[in-house]
Structures are given as C-alpha cells and as structure tokens.
Amino acid sequence: MSGYPALPGEDTAEPQEPEARPGPIQVPLRVRTPFGELSLFGTMATFGAPADVTLSELAIELFYPLDDFTTQALRALAETPPSFM
C-alpha cells in the first residue's frame, strides 16, 4: 500500500475490492436473459439552454454494467456476429 504511514493500531492490510452493489442513488436495471441476469445502471444527459427550443427535449440515456458478469456477457455479445432470420 502506498501513501502515508499507518497510524498506531491501524490495520495495514490491503483493502479488499468491494462487491459491486448499487449506491444509495443508483437504481439498478436487472434483465433476465438466456445468458443470465444482467445488472446495469443508467445515466441520462440532457442538452440545451432555456431559450434553445431545438435542444430542449433531447436526452441521451446510457447504461453501464454493474458487475463483472454483466461486463463479460456484454463483451461476448458485442463480439458475436448478428444472426438474422
């Protein structure tokens, strides 16, 4: 561990990486798929200024993986060629 020296009586063990859990302001989106349950969280970006009518209703919503399983599943799906009927 780099940084300041530990205080007397302080635990010097490396902190374990926390398990991916939603924070108090995250609302996870859980989707059951044939690949397993995917956990995602979303963010939304809006554009425009109060006087700019053309951008006033434009919003983009993005979803990001919430855990390692979802990350790996989405990467595997992205590498799979699409199958059409």
Side-chain angles (χ1 to χ4, degrees):
M1 178 179 218
S2 65
Y4 295 109
L7 297 173
E10 187 177 50
D11 184 16
T12 59
E14 287 288 326
Q16 302 235 345
E17 188 155 327
E19 187 177 321
R21 291 185 185 161
I25 59 170
Q26 288 178 336
V27 178
L29 171 66
R30 300 195 191 279
V31 181
R32 288 188 192 151
T33 70
F35 306 104
E37 184 175 286
L38 304 180
S39 298
L40 304 156
F41 72 94
T43 61
M44 185 172 287
T46 57
F47 301 92
D52 192 355
V53 177
T54 58
L55 293 175
S56 67
E57 295 184 20
L58 179 63
I60 298 174
E61 189 168 9
L62 303 168
F63 289 94
Y64 298 95
L66 195 56
D67 57 18
D68 288 334
F69 174 77
T70 303
T71 301
Q72 293 171 1
L74 292 175
R75 285 186 177 155
L77 283 170
E79 292 172 0
T80 305
S83 59
F84 297 100
M85 290 192 204

